[in-house]
Amino acid sequence: MSWEPIWEQVFLEQEWGQYPPEELIRFVARNFYGAPDRKEIRILELGCGPGANVWYLAREGFEAHGIDGSKTA
């Protein structure tokens, strides 16, 4: 059974986060905000959906990349 049709339907039916979750912001702040050069910190998010987390990380100066298997996401 392929999960692709199921995830496509999930992404089509739900409004996915426009903003990153508070837990992510706290984790990044606690672990990486003190870095001398944020561009040196590379972050990859697997299953990034529409990319709210990647957008936040890039905006904060980190090298951020994301990939998702869903065409809709």
Side-chain angles (χ1 to χ4, degrees), residues 35-53:
D37 185 2
R38 291 184 184 181
K39 280 290 182 197
E40 294 288 321
I41 298 173
R42 294 174 288 181
I43 300 171
L44 172 63
E45 181 180 14
L46 302 175
C48 66
N53 297 343

Side-chain angles (χ1 to χ4, degrees), residues 5-63:
I6 296 169
W7 275 113
E8 292 304 320
Q9 194 62 37
V10 169
F11 277 112
L12 286 171
E13 292 177 357
Q14 293 186 19
E15 184 176 319
W16 289 89
Q18 295 177 336
Y19 305 100
E22 185 176 340
E23 294 83 10
L24 173 69
I25 296 169
R26 288 177 189 255
F27 175 82
V28 170
R30 183 175 48 247
N31 292 286
F32 301 114
Y33 272 11
D37 185 2
R38 291 184 184 181
K39 280 290 182 197
E40 294 288 321
I41 298 173
R42 294 174 288 181
I43 300 171
L44 172 63
E45 181 180 14
L46 302 175
C48 66
N53 297 343
V54 176
W55 170 79
Y56 156 73
L57 293 163
R59 191 189 72 209
E60 290 296 315
F62 301 103
E63 184 180 327

